[in-house]
PDB file of all heavy atoms in Angstrom:
ATOM      1  N   MET A  27       0.833  -1.175   0.000  1.00 51.00           N
ATOM      2  CA  MET A  27       0.000   0.000   0.000  1.00 51.00           C
ATOM      3  C   MET A  27       0.885   1.247   0.000  1.00 51.00           C
ATOM      4  O   MET A  27       1.666   1.466   0.922  1.00 51.00           O
ATOM      5  CB  MET A  27      -0.899   0.027   1.229  1.00 51.00           C
ATOM      6  CG  MET A  27      -1.831  -1.140   1.344  1.00 51.00           C
ATOM      7  SD  MET A  27      -3.411  -0.678   0.660  1.00 51.00           S
ATOM      8  CE  MET A  27      -3.900  -2.177  -0.084  1.00 51.00           C
ATOM      9  N   VAL A  28       0.738   2.036  -0.976  1.00 59.00           N
ATOM     10  CA  VAL A  28       1.529   3.251  -1.101  1.00 59.00           C
ATOM     11  C   VAL A  28       0.976   4.316  -0.165  1.00 59.00           C
ATOM     12  O   VAL A  28      -0.229   4.479  -0.048  1.00 59.00           O
ATOM     13  CB  VAL A  28       1.482   3.760  -2.560  1.00 59.00           C
ATOM     14  CG1 VAL A  28       2.203   5.081  -2.692  1.00 59.00           C
ATOM     15  CG2 VAL A  28       2.071   2.719  -3.493  1.00 59.00           C
ATOM     16  N   GLY A  29       1.859   5.016   0.529  1.00 62.00           N
ATOM     17  CA  GLY A  29       1.434   6.122   1.381  1.00 62.00           C
ATOM     18  C   GLY A  29       1.058   5.747   2.797  1.00 62.00           C
ATOM     19  O   GLY A  29       0.675   6.601   3.575  1.00 62.00           O
ATOM     20  N   ILE A  30       1.148   4.493   3.154  1.00 58.00           N
ATOM     21  CA  ILE A  30       0.803   4.080   4.506  1.00 58.00           C
ATOM     22  C   ILE A  30       2.094   3.898   5.308  1.00 58.00           C
ATOM     23  O   ILE A  30       3.008   3.217   4.873  1.00 58.00           O
ATOM     24  CB  ILE A  30      -0.001   2.754   4.508  1.00 58.00           C
ATOM     25  CG1 ILE A  30      -1.334   2.975   3.811  1.00 58.00           C
ATOM     26  CG2 ILE A  30      -0.203   2.226   5.915  1.00 58.00           C
ATOM     27  CD1 ILE A  30      -2.250   3.946   4.504  1.00 58.00           C
ATOM     28  N   VAL A  31       2.159   4.520   6.450  1.00 60.00           N
ATOM     29  CA  VAL A  31       3.319   4.383   7.334  1.00 60.00           C
ATOM     30  C   VAL A  31       3.325   2.954   7.875  1.00 60.00           C
ATOM     31  O   VAL A  31       2.282   2.422   8.243  1.00 60.00           O
ATOM     32  CB  VAL A  31       3.222   5.410   8.485  1.00 60.00           C
ATOM     33  CG1 VAL A  31       4.386   5.274   9.435  1.00 60.00           C
ATOM     34  CG2 VAL A  31       3.145   6.820   7.909  1.00 60.00           C
ATOM     35  N   PRO A  32       4.489   2.298   7.940  1.00 69.00           N
ATOM     36  CA  PRO A  32       4.541   0.877   8.319  1.00 69.00           C
ATOM     37  C   PRO A  32       3.854   0.527   9.641  1.00 69.00           C
ATOM     38  O   PRO A  32       3.328  -0.547   9.782  1.00 69.00           O
ATOM     39  CB  PRO A  32       6.039   0.595   8.405  1.00 69.00           C
ATOM     40  CG  PRO A  32       6.659   1.586   7.495  1.00 69.00           C
ATOM     41  CD  PRO A  32       5.799   2.816   7.576  1.00 69.00           C
ATOM     42  N   ARG A  33       3.837   1.416  10.618  1.00 84.00           N
ATOM     43  CA  ARG A  33       3.224   1.096  11.905  1.00 84.00           C
ATOM     44  C   ARG A  33       1.732   1.437  11.957  1.00 84.00           C
ATOM     45  O   ARG A  33       1.119   1.350  13.001  1.00 84.00           O
ATOM     46  CB  ARG A  33       3.958   1.806  13.023  1.00 84.00           C
ATOM     47  CG  ARG A  33       5.383   1.332  13.137  1.00 84.00           C
ATOM     48  CD  ARG A  33       5.929   1.602  14.498  1.00 84.00           C
ATOM     49  NE  ARG A  33       7.326   1.269  14.580  1.00 84.00           N
ATOM     50  CZ  ARG A  33       7.788   0.084  14.938  1.00 84.00           C
ATOM     51  NH1 ARG A  33       6.975  -0.886  15.245  1.00 84.00           N
ATOM     52  NH2 ARG A  33       9.079  -0.136  14.993  1.00 84.00           N
ATOM     53  N   HIS A  34       1.158   1.822  10.832  1.00 87.00           N
ATOM     54  CA  HIS A  34      -0.275   2.072  10.772  1.00 87.00           C
ATOM     55  C   HIS A  34      -0.973   0.798  10.316  1.00 87.00           C
ATOM     56  O   HIS A  34      -0.430   0.016   9.552  1.00 87.00           O
ATOM     57  CB  HIS A  34      -0.596   3.198   9.794  1.00 87.00           C
ATOM     58  CG  HIS A  34      -0.237   4.550  10.333  1.00 87.00           C
ATOM     59  ND1 HIS A  34      -0.527   5.691   9.653  1.00 87.00           N
ATOM     60  CD2 HIS A  34       0.379   4.943  11.466  1.00 87.00           C
ATOM     61  CE1 HIS A  34      -0.107   6.728  10.344  1.00 87.00           C
ATOM     62  NE2 HIS A  34       0.460   6.293  11.455  1.00 87.00           N
ATOM     63  N   PHE A  35      -2.185   0.608  10.805  1.00 92.00           N
ATOM     64  CA  PHE A  35      -2.984  -0.554  10.434  1.00 92.00           C
ATOM     65  C   PHE A  35      -4.257  -0.065   9.768  1.00 92.00           C
ATOM     66  O   PHE A  35      -4.643   1.084   9.935  1.00 92.00           O
ATOM     67  CB  PHE A  35      -3.331  -1.372  11.690  1.00 92.00           C
ATOM     68  CG  PHE A  35      -2.108  -1.839  12.420  1.00 92.00           C
ATOM     69  CD1 PHE A  35      -1.580  -1.090  13.461  1.00 92.00           C
ATOM     70  CD2 PHE A  35      -1.487  -3.016  12.061  1.00 92.00           C
ATOM     71  CE1 PHE A  35      -0.450  -1.504  14.141  1.00 92.00           C
ATOM     72  CE2 PHE A  35      -0.348  -3.444  12.732  1.00 92.00           C
ATOM     73  CZ  PHE A  35       0.173  -2.685  13.767  1.00 92.00           C
ATOM     74  N   ARG A  36      -4.914  -0.919   9.034  1.00 90.00           N
ATOM     75  CA  ARG A  36      -6.147  -0.522   8.355  1.00 90.00           C
ATOM     76  C   ARG A  36      -7.226  -1.564   8.593  1.00 90.00           C
ATOM     77  O   ARG A  36      -6.943  -2.761   8.716  1.00 90.00           O
ATOM     78  CB  ARG A  36      -5.889  -0.308   6.874  1.00 90.00           C
ATOM     79  CG  ARG A  36      -5.343  -1.491   6.171  1.00 90.00           C
ATOM     80  CD  ARG A  36      -4.791  -1.097   4.802  1.00 90.00           C
ATOM     81  NE  ARG A  36      -4.277  -2.268   4.132  1.00 90.00           N
ATOM     82  CZ  ARG A  36      -3.063  -2.752   4.283  1.00 90.00           C
ATOM     83  NH1 ARG A  36      -2.231  -2.187   5.090  1.00 90.00           N
ATOM     84  NH2 ARG A  36      -2.697  -3.840   3.642  1.00 90.00           N
ATOM     85  N   LEU A  37      -8.441  -1.072   8.644  1.00 92.00           N
ATOM     86  CA  LEU A  37      -9.594  -1.925   8.895  1.00 92.00           C
ATOM     87  C   LEU A  37     -10.680  -1.522   7.916  1.00 92.00           C
ATOM     88  O   LEU A  37     -10.995  -0.343   7.780  1.00 92.00           O
ATOM     89  CB  LEU A  37     -10.068  -1.724  10.336  1.00 92.00           C
ATOM     90  CG  LEU A  37     -11.289  -2.494  10.799  1.00 92.00           C
ATOM     91  CD1 LEU A  37     -11.005  -3.988  10.777  1.00 92.00           C
ATOM     92  CD2 LEU A  37     -11.660  -2.052  12.195  1.00 92.00           C
ATOM     93  N   ARG A  38     -11.226  -2.497   7.204  1.00 92.00           N
ATOM     94  CA  ARG A  38     -12.303  -2.216   6.257  1.00 92.00           C
ATOM     95  C   ARG A  38     -13.640  -2.339   6.982  1.00 92.00           C
ATOM     96  O   ARG A  38     -13.924  -3.354   7.622  1.00 92.00           O
ATOM     97  CB  ARG A  38     -12.252  -3.209   5.104  1.00 92.00           C
ATOM     98  CG  ARG A  38     -13.318  -2.975   4.086  1.00 92.00           C
ATOM     99  CD  ARG A  38     -13.126  -3.922   2.934  1.00 92.00           C
ATOM    100  NE  ARG A  38     -14.353  -4.003   2.166  1.00 92.00           N
ATOM    101  CZ  ARG A  38     -14.561  -4.866   1.205  1.00 92.00           C
ATOM    102  NH1 ARG A  38     -13.636  -5.735   0.888  1.00 92.00           N
ATOM    103  NH2 ARG A  38     -15.702  -4.872   0.569  1.00 92.00           N
ATOM    104  N   ILE A  39     -14.448  -1.298   6.850  1.00 91.00           N
ATOM    105  CA  ILE A  39     -15.786  -1.280   7.450  1.00 91.00           C
ATOM    106  C   ILE A  39     -16.749  -0.889   6.337  1.00 91.00           C
ATOM    107  O   ILE A  39     -16.914   0.294   6.042  1.00 91.00           O
ATOM    108  CB  ILE A  39     -15.873  -0.283   8.624  1.00 91.00           C
ATOM    109  CG1 ILE A  39     -14.801  -0.598   9.664  1.00 91.00           C
ATOM    110  CG2 ILE A  39     -17.263  -0.307   9.243  1.00 91.00           C
ATOM    111  CD1 ILE A  39     -14.645   0.447  10.729  1.00 91.00           C
ATOM    112  N   GLY A  40     -17.339  -1.882   5.698  1.00 92.00           N
ATOM    113  CA  GLY A  40     -18.225  -1.599   4.568  1.00 92.00           C
ATOM    114  C   GLY A  40     -17.462  -0.914   3.453  1.00 92.00           C
ATOM    115  O   GLY A  40     -16.459  -1.413   2.969  1.00 92.00           O
ATOM    116  N   GLU A  41     -17.908   0.270   3.059  1.00 91.00           N
ATOM    117  CA  GLU A  41     -17.268   1.037   1.993  1.00 91.00           C
ATOM    118  C   GLU A  41     -16.177   1.965   2.512  1.00 91.00           C
ATOM    119  O   GLU A  41     -15.630   2.761   1.766  1.00 91.00           O
ATOM    120  CB  GLU A  41     -18.329   1.866   1.253  1.00 91.00           C
ATOM    121  CG  GLU A  41     -19.317   1.038   0.469  1.00 91.00           C
ATOM    122  CD  GLU A  41     -18.667   0.341  -0.718  1.00 91.00           C
ATOM    123  OE1 GLU A  41     -17.876   0.980  -1.433  1.00 91.00           O
ATOM    124  OE2 GLU A  41     -18.942  -0.867  -0.907  1.00 91.00           O
ATOM    125  N   TYR A  42     -15.844   1.868   3.784  1.00 93.00           N
ATOM    126  CA  TYR A  42     -14.888   2.785   4.394  1.00 93.00           C
ATOM    127  C   TYR A  42     -13.659   2.050   4.906  1.00 93.00           C
ATOM    128  O   TYR A  42     -13.701   0.866   5.202  1.00 93.00           O
ATOM    129  CB  TYR A  42     -15.544   3.556   5.539  1.00 93.00           C
ATOM    130  CG  TYR A  42     -16.549   4.548   5.019  1.00 93.00           C
ATOM    131  CD1 TYR A  42     -17.850   4.150   4.754  1.00 93.00           C
ATOM    132  CD2 TYR A  42     -16.195   5.853   4.745  1.00 93.00           C
ATOM    133  CE1 TYR A  42     -18.774   5.041   4.233  1.00 93.00           C
ATOM    134  CE2 TYR A  42     -17.102   6.759   4.237  1.00 93.00           C
ATOM    135  CZ  TYR A  42     -18.386   6.342   3.975  1.00 93.00           C
ATOM    136  OH  TYR A  42     -19.298   7.223   3.459  1.00 93.00           O
ATOM    137  N   ARG A  43     -12.551   2.800   5.007  1.00 92.00           N
ATOM    138  CA  ARG A  43     -11.315   2.309   5.608  1.00 92.00           C
ATOM    139  C   ARG A  43     -11.031   3.140   6.846  1.00 92.00           C
ATOM    140  O   ARG A  43     -11.119   4.360   6.816  1.00 92.00           O
ATOM    141  CB  ARG A  43     -10.126   2.483   4.665  1.00 92.00           C
ATOM    142  CG  ARG A  43     -10.090   1.505   3.549  1.00 92.00           C
ATOM    143  CD  ARG A  43      -9.525   0.208   4.014  1.00 92.00           C
ATOM    144  NE  ARG A  43      -9.331  -0.658   2.847  1.00 92.00           N
ATOM    145  CZ  ARG A  43      -8.993  -1.898   2.918  1.00 92.00           C
ATOM    146  NH1 ARG A  43      -8.780  -2.460   4.073  1.00 92.00           N
ATOM    147  NH2 ARG A  43      -8.854  -2.623   1.832  1.00 92.00           N
ATOM    148  N   LEU A  44     -10.670   2.458   7.910  1.00 93.00           N
ATOM    149  CA  LEU A  44     -10.230   3.099   9.137  1.00 93.00           C
ATOM    150  C   LEU A  44      -8.736   2.841   9.232  1.00 93.00           C
ATOM    151  O   LEU A  44      -8.305   1.692   9.211  1.00 93.00           O
ATOM    152  CB  LEU A  44     -10.953   2.498  10.341  1.00 93.00           C
ATOM    153  CG  LEU A  44     -10.525   3.046  11.686  1.00 93.00           C
ATOM    154  CD1 LEU A  44     -11.429   4.225  12.035  1.00 93.00           C
ATOM    155  CD2 LEU A  44     -10.575   2.005  12.741  1.00 93.00           C
ATOM    156  N   ILE A  45      -7.938   3.899   9.277  1.00 90.00           N
ATOM    157  CA  ILE A  45      -6.492   3.762   9.402  1.00 90.00           C
ATOM    158  C   ILE A  45      -6.132   4.186  10.817  1.00 90.00           C
ATOM    159  O   ILE A  45      -6.535   5.259  11.271  1.00 90.00           O
ATOM    160  CB  ILE A  45      -5.769   4.608   8.343  1.00 90.00           C
ATOM    161  CG1 ILE A  45      -6.197   4.131   6.957  1.00 90.00           C
ATOM    162  CG2 ILE A  45      -4.256   4.488   8.513  1.00 90.00           C
ATOM    163  CD1 ILE A  45      -5.710   4.961   5.815  1.00 90.00           C
ATOM    164  N   TYR A  46      -5.413   3.319  11.525  1.00 94.00           N
ATOM    165  CA  TYR A  46      -5.127   3.573  12.933  1.00 94.00           C
ATOM    166  C   TYR A  46      -3.733   3.103  13.294  1.00 94.00           C
ATOM    167  O   TYR A  46      -3.075   2.409  12.530  1.00 94.00           O
ATOM    168  CB  TYR A  46      -6.175   2.889  13.816  1.00 94.00           C
ATOM    169  CG  TYR A  46      -6.138   1.374  13.762  1.00 94.00           C
ATOM    170  CD1 TYR A  46      -5.468   0.656  14.736  1.00 94.00           C
ATOM    171  CD2 TYR A  46      -6.772   0.670  12.750  1.00 94.00           C
ATOM    172  CE1 TYR A  46      -5.432  -0.736  14.705  1.00 94.00           C
ATOM    173  CE2 TYR A  46      -6.738  -0.707  12.701  1.00 94.00           C
ATOM    174  CZ  TYR A  46      -6.063  -1.405  13.682  1.00 94.00           C
ATOM    175  OH  TYR A  46      -6.016  -2.770  13.638  1.00 94.00           O
ATOM    176  N   ARG A  47      -3.277   3.529  14.465  1.00 92.00           N
ATOM    177  CA  ARG A  47      -1.997   3.049  14.999  1.00 92.00           C
ATOM    178  C   ARG A  47      -2.186   2.746  16.473  1.00 92.00           C
ATOM    179  O   ARG A  47      -3.104   3.256  17.113  1.00 92.00           O
ATOM    180  CB  ARG A  47      -0.884   4.070  14.776  1.00 92.00           C
ATOM    181  CG  ARG A  47      -1.036   5.336  15.555  1.00 92.00           C
ATOM    182  CD  ARG A  47       0.149   6.270  15.300  1.00 92.00           C
ATOM    183  NE  ARG A  47      -0.003   7.474  16.080  1.00 92.00           N
ATOM    184  CZ  ARG A  47      -0.436   8.631  15.613  1.00 92.00           C
ATOM    185  NH1 ARG A  47      -0.738   8.753  14.345  1.00 92.00           N
ATOM    186  NH2 ARG A  47      -0.550   9.669  16.406  1.00 92.00           N
ATOM    187  N   VAL A  48      -1.313   1.908  16.996  1.00 91.00           N
ATOM    188  CA  VAL A  48      -1.364   1.516  18.404  1.00 91.00           C
ATOM    189  C   VAL A  48      -0.208   2.201  19.117  1.00 91.00           C
ATOM    190  O   VAL A  48       0.952   2.088  18.690  1.00 91.00           O
ATOM    191  CB  VAL A  48      -1.277  -0.013  18.563  1.00 91.00           C
ATOM    192  CG1 VAL A  48      -1.257  -0.402  20.027  1.00 91.00           C
ATOM    193  CG2 VAL A  48      -2.421  -0.688  17.826  1.00 91.00           C
ATOM    194  N   GLU A  49      -0.527   2.941  20.184  1.00 88.00           N
ATOM    195  CA  GLU A  49       0.488   3.615  21.006  1.00 88.00           C
ATOM    196  C   GLU A  49       0.350   3.092  22.429  1.00 88.00           C
ATOM    197  O   GLU A  49      -0.530   3.534  23.165  1.00 88.00           O
ATOM    198  CB  GLU A  49       0.285   5.125  20.987  1.00 88.00           C
ATOM    199  CG  GLU A  49       0.507   5.769  19.638  1.00 88.00           C
ATOM    200  CD  GLU A  49       0.306   7.268  19.668  1.00 88.00           C
ATOM    201  OE1 GLU A  49      -0.109   7.812  20.712  1.00 88.00           O
ATOM    202  OE2 GLU A  49       0.555   7.901  18.638  1.00 88.00           O
ATOM    203  N   GLY A  50       1.183   2.143  22.778  1.00 87.00           N
ATOM    204  CA  GLY A  50       1.089   1.533  24.107  1.00 87.00           C
ATOM    205  C   GLY A  50      -0.237   0.806  24.244  1.00 87.00           C
ATOM    206  O   GLY A  50      -0.514  -0.134  23.511  1.00 87.00           O
ATOM    207  N   GLU A  51      -1.068   1.264  25.165  1.00 91.00           N
ATOM    208  CA  GLU A  51      -2.387   0.648  25.369  1.00 91.00           C
ATOM    209  C   GLU A  51      -3.504   1.415  24.674  1.00 91.00           C
ATOM    210  O   GLU A  51      -4.675   1.089  24.836  1.00 91.00           O
ATOM    211  CB  GLU A  51      -2.672   0.568  26.870  1.00 91.00           C
ATOM    212  CG  GLU A  51      -1.724  -0.370  27.588  1.00 91.00           C
ATOM    213  CD  GLU A  51      -2.072  -0.526  29.050  1.00 91.00           C
ATOM    214  OE1 GLU A  51      -3.182  -0.131  29.455  1.00 91.00           O
ATOM    215  OE2 GLU A  51      -1.226  -1.044  29.796  1.00 91.00           O
ATOM    216  N   LYS A  52      -3.157   2.454  23.900  1.00 92.00           N
ATOM    217  CA  LYS A  52      -4.153   3.276  23.211  1.00 92.00           C
ATOM    218  C   LYS A  52      -4.195   2.947  21.728  1.00 92.00           C
ATOM    219  O   LYS A  52      -3.181   2.612  21.127  1.00 92.00           O
ATOM    220  CB  LYS A  52      -3.826   4.767  23.348  1.00 92.00           C
ATOM    221  CG  LYS A  52      -3.880   5.301  24.737  1.00 92.00           C
ATOM    222  CD  LYS A  52      -3.758   6.800  24.752  1.00 92.00           C
ATOM    223  CE  LYS A  52      -2.461   7.261  24.128  1.00 92.00           C
ATOM    224  NZ  LYS A  52      -2.261   8.709  24.235  1.00 92.00           N
ATOM    225  N   VAL A  53      -5.385   3.066  21.150  1.00 93.00           N
ATOM    226  CA  VAL A  53      -5.564   2.975  19.702  1.00 93.00           C
ATOM    227  C   VAL A  53      -5.901   4.382  19.224  1.00 93.00           C
ATOM    228  O   VAL A  53      -6.850   4.994  19.696  1.00 93.00           O
ATOM    229  CB  VAL A  53      -6.697   1.994  19.336  1.00 93.00           C
ATOM    230  CG1 VAL A  53      -6.969   2.024  17.849  1.00 93.00           C
ATOM    231  CG2 VAL A  53      -6.341   0.593  19.803  1.00 93.00           C
ATOM    232  N   VAL A  54      -5.103   4.891  18.294  1.00 94.00           N
ATOM    233  CA  VAL A  54      -5.283   6.244  17.776  1.00 94.00           C
ATOM    234  C   VAL A  54      -5.785   6.146  16.341  1.00 94.00           C
ATOM    235  O   VAL A  54      -5.119   5.576  15.475  1.00 94.00           O
ATOM    236  CB  VAL A  54      -3.953   7.036  17.825  1.00 94.00           C
ATOM    237  CG1 VAL A  54      -4.144   8.427  17.254  1.00 94.00           C
ATOM    238  CG2 VAL A  54      -3.427   7.096  19.253  1.00 94.00           C
ATOM    239  N   VAL A  55      -6.966   6.716  16.074  1.00 94.00           N
ATOM    240  CA  VAL A  55      -7.524   6.713  14.726  1.00 94.00           C
ATOM    241  C   VAL A  55      -6.845   7.834  13.952  1.00 94.00           C
ATOM    242  O   VAL A  55      -6.885   8.996  14.351  1.00 94.00           O
ATOM    243  CB  VAL A  55      -9.051   6.904  14.747  1.00 94.00           C
ATOM    244  CG1 VAL A  55      -9.589   7.012  13.329  1.00 94.00           C
ATOM    245  CG2 VAL A  55      -9.715   5.763  15.494  1.00 94.00           C
ATOM    246  N   VAL A  56      -6.216   7.473  12.845  1.00 90.00           N
ATOM    247  CA  VAL A  56      -5.493   8.429  12.020  1.00 90.00           C
ATOM    248  C   VAL A  56      -6.409   9.014  10.956  1.00 90.00           C
ATOM    249  O   VAL A  56      -6.401  10.209  10.706  1.00 90.00           O
ATOM    250  CB  VAL A  56      -4.268   7.752  11.358  1.00 90.00           C
ATOM    251  CG1 VAL A  56      -3.567   8.684  10.396  1.00 90.00           C
ATOM    252  CG2 VAL A  56      -3.320   7.244  12.427  1.00 90.00           C
ATOM    253  N   ARG A  57      -7.231   8.154  10.348  1.00 89.00           N
ATOM    254  CA  ARG A  57      -8.073   8.613   9.248  1.00 89.00           C
ATOM    255  C   ARG A  57      -9.239   7.658   9.034  1.00 89.00           C
ATOM    256  O   ARG A  57      -9.078   6.443   9.165  1.00 89.00           O
ATOM    257  CB  ARG A  57      -7.231   8.682   7.980  1.00 89.00           C
ATOM    258  CG  ARG A  57      -7.944   9.226   6.800  1.00 89.00           C
ATOM    259  CD  ARG A  57      -6.987   9.520   5.687  1.00 89.00           C
ATOM    260  NE  ARG A  57      -7.733  10.182   4.631  1.00 89.00           N
ATOM    261  CZ  ARG A  57      -7.316  10.315   3.404  1.00 89.00           C
ATOM    262  NH1 ARG A  57      -6.147   9.857   3.072  1.00 89.00           N
ATOM    263  NH2 ARG A  57      -8.057  10.909   2.512  1.00 89.00           N
ATOM    264  N   VAL A  58     -10.377   8.213   8.677  1.00 92.00           N
ATOM    265  CA  VAL A  58     -11.528   7.432   8.231  1.00 92.00           C
ATOM    266  C   VAL A  58     -11.909   8.012   6.880  1.00 92.00           C
ATOM    267  O   VAL A  58     -12.136   9.210   6.757  1.00 92.00           O
ATOM    268  CB  VAL A  58     -12.719   7.536   9.210  1.00 92.00           C
ATOM    269  CG1 VAL A  58     -13.912   6.763   8.664  1.00 92.00           C
ATOM    270  CG2 VAL A  58     -12.336   7.040  10.591  1.00 92.00           C
ATOM    271  N   ALA A  59     -11.938   7.171   5.851  1.00 90.00           N
ATOM    272  CA  ALA A  59     -12.215   7.670   4.503  1.00 90.00           C
ATOM    273  C   ALA A  59     -12.900   6.586   3.682  1.00 90.00           C
ATOM    274  O   ALA A  59     -12.781   5.396   3.972  1.00 90.00           O
ATOM    275  CB  ALA A  59     -10.928   8.090   3.818  1.00 90.00           C
ATOM    276  N   HIS A  60     -13.616   7.025   2.649  1.00 89.00           N
ATOM    277  CA  HIS A  60     -14.207   6.094   1.703  1.00 89.00           C
ATOM    278  C   HIS A  60     -13.080   5.312   1.040  1.00 89.00           C
ATOM    279  O   HIS A  60     -11.985   5.836   0.830  1.00 89.00           O
ATOM    280  CB  HIS A  60     -15.018   6.845   0.651  1.00 89.00           C
ATOM    281  CG  HIS A  60     -15.884   5.939  -0.159  1.00 89.00           C
ATOM    282  ND1 HIS A  60     -15.412   5.270  -1.265  1.00 89.00           N
ATOM    283  CD2 HIS A  60     -17.170   5.560   0.006  1.00 89.00           C
ATOM    284  CE1 HIS A  60     -16.394   4.527  -1.765  1.00 89.00           C
ATOM    285  NE2 HIS A  60     -17.463   4.674  -1.013  1.00 89.00           N
ATOM    286  N   ARG A  61     -13.303   4.067   0.727  1.00 80.00           N
ATOM    287  CA  ARG A  61     -12.240   3.201   0.201  1.00 80.00           C
ATOM    288  C   ARG A  61     -11.550   3.777  -1.025  1.00 80.00           C
ATOM    289  O   ARG A  61     -10.357   3.641  -1.194  1.00 80.00           O
ATOM    290  CB  ARG A  61     -12.801   1.826  -0.129  1.00 80.00           C
ATOM    291  CG  ARG A  61     -13.132   1.033   1.109  1.00 80.00           C
ATOM    292  CD  ARG A  61     -13.734  -0.308   0.787  1.00 80.00           C
ATOM    293  NE  ARG A  61     -12.820  -1.099  -0.015  1.00 80.00           N
ATOM    294  CZ  ARG A  61     -13.196  -2.014  -0.875  1.00 80.00           C
ATOM    295  NH1 ARG A  61     -14.470  -2.263  -1.075  1.00 80.00           N
ATOM    296  NH2 ARG A  61     -12.319  -2.689  -1.567  1.00 80.00           N
ATOM    297  N   ARG A  62     -12.259   4.455  -1.896  1.00 78.00           N
ATOM    298  CA  ARG A  62     -11.627   4.971  -3.113  1.00 78.00           C
ATOM    299  C   ARG A  62     -10.730   6.179  -2.842  1.00 78.00           C
ATOM    300  O   ARG A  62      -9.923   6.547  -3.666  1.00 78.00           O
ATOM    301  CB  ARG A  62     -12.672   5.305  -4.168  1.00 78.00           C
ATOM    302  CG  ARG A  62     -13.465   6.538  -3.851  1.00 78.00           C
ATOM    303  CD  ARG A  62     -14.428   6.866  -4.986  1.00 78.00           C
ATOM    304  NE  ARG A  62     -15.475   7.682  -4.405  1.00 78.00           N
ATOM    305  CZ  ARG A  62     -16.753   7.471  -4.547  1.00 78.00           C
ATOM    306  NH1 ARG A  62     -17.178   6.464  -5.270  1.00 78.00           N
ATOM    307  NH2 ARG A  62     -17.626   8.259  -3.965  1.00 78.00           N
ATOM    308  N   GLU A  63     -10.861   6.780  -1.654  1.00 79.00           N
ATOM    309  CA  GLU A  63     -10.055   7.957  -1.336  1.00 79.00           C
ATOM    310  C   GLU A  63      -9.127   7.750  -0.143  1.00 79.00           C
ATOM    311  O   GLU A  63      -8.402   8.667   0.232  1.00 79.00           O
ATOM    312  CB  GLU A  63     -10.977   9.135  -1.060  1.00 79.00           C
ATOM    313  CG  GLU A  63     -11.802   9.501  -2.272  1.00 79.00           C
ATOM    314  CD  GLU A  63     -12.616  10.755  -2.052  1.00 79.00           C
ATOM    315  OE1 GLU A  63     -12.342  11.484  -1.098  1.00 79.00           O
ATOM    316  OE2 GLU A  63     -13.512  10.988  -2.869  1.00 79.00           O
ATOM    317  N   ALA A  64      -9.120   6.588   0.444  1.00 68.00           N
ATOM    318  CA  ALA A  64      -8.374   6.359   1.683  1.00 68.00           C
ATOM    319  C   ALA A  64      -6.872   6.486   1.512  1.00 68.00           C
ATOM    320  O   ALA A  64      -6.178   6.847   2.452  1.00 68.00           O
ATOM    321  CB  ALA A  64      -8.711   4.976   2.251  1.00 68.00           C
ATOM    322  N   TYR A  65      -6.341   6.216   0.341  1.00 65.00           N
ATOM    323  CA  TYR A  65      -4.886   6.170   0.168  1.00 65.00           C
ATOM    324  C   TYR A  65      -4.353   7.304  -0.689  1.00 65.00           C
ATOM    325  O   TYR A  65      -3.243   7.272  -1.141  1.00 65.00           O
ATOM    326  CB  TYR A  65      -4.473   4.826  -0.412  1.00 65.00           C
ATOM    327  CG  TYR A  65      -4.952   3.696   0.469  1.00 65.00           C
ATOM    328  CD1 TYR A  65      -5.990   2.876   0.065  1.00 65.00           C
ATOM    329  CD2 TYR A  65      -4.392   3.497   1.721  1.00 65.00           C
ATOM    330  CE1 TYR A  65      -6.446   1.856   0.885  1.00 65.00           C
ATOM    331  CE2 TYR A  65      -4.841   2.480   2.534  1.00 65.00           C
ATOM    332  CZ  TYR A  65      -5.854   1.667   2.106  1.00 65.00           C
ATOM    333  OH  TYR A  65      -6.301   0.673   2.925  1.00 65.00           O
ATOM    334  N   ARG A  66      -5.147   8.312  -0.925  1.00 65.00           N
ATOM    335  CA  ARG A  66      -4.698   9.461  -1.735  1.00 65.00           C
ATOM    336  C   ARG A  66      -3.999  10.459  -0.884  1.00 65.00           C
ATOM    337  O   ARG A  66      -4.130  10.581   0.256  1.00 65.00           O
ATOM    338  CB  ARG A  66      -5.884  10.127  -2.407  1.00 65.00           C
ATOM    339  CG  ARG A  66      -6.505   9.219  -3.442  1.00 65.00           C
ATOM    340  CD  ARG A  66      -7.610   9.907  -4.159  1.00 65.00           C
ATOM    341  NE  ARG A  66      -8.196   8.944  -5.061  1.00 65.00           N
ATOM    342  CZ  ARG A  66      -9.163   9.238  -5.864  1.00 65.00           C
ATOM    343  NH1 ARG A  66      -9.672  10.441  -5.881  1.00 65.00           N
ATOM    344  NH2 ARG A  66      -9.634   8.343  -6.661  1.00 65.00           N
TER     345      ARG A  66
END
């Protein structure tokens, strides 16, 4: 995946992508976007 930082994770929720990272015991949501625009 181009443009995704290696320590970020992605989750598909229907037509949307949730991009997040884990910091210790916290989950930080980086971006929520429609699948066609999530990686632009």
Side-chain angles (χ1 to χ4, degrees):
M27 300 264 144
V28 175
I30 296 296
V31 179
R33 296 202 185 269
H34 286 185
F35 301 93
R36 58 194 181 274
L37 178 64
R38 181 175 162 189
I39 304 170
E41 293 292 316
Y42 290 85
R43 285 279 188 188
L44 177 92
I45 300 173
Y46 66 97
R47 67 178 181 259
V48 177
E49 294 180 354
E51 294 184 14
K52 296 189 301 185
V53 174
V54 179
V55 175
V56 175
R57 184 168 186 196
V58 177
H60 193 275
R61 288 178 59 209
R62 73 176 158 230
E63 297 186 15
Y65 303 108
R66 293 184 184 182

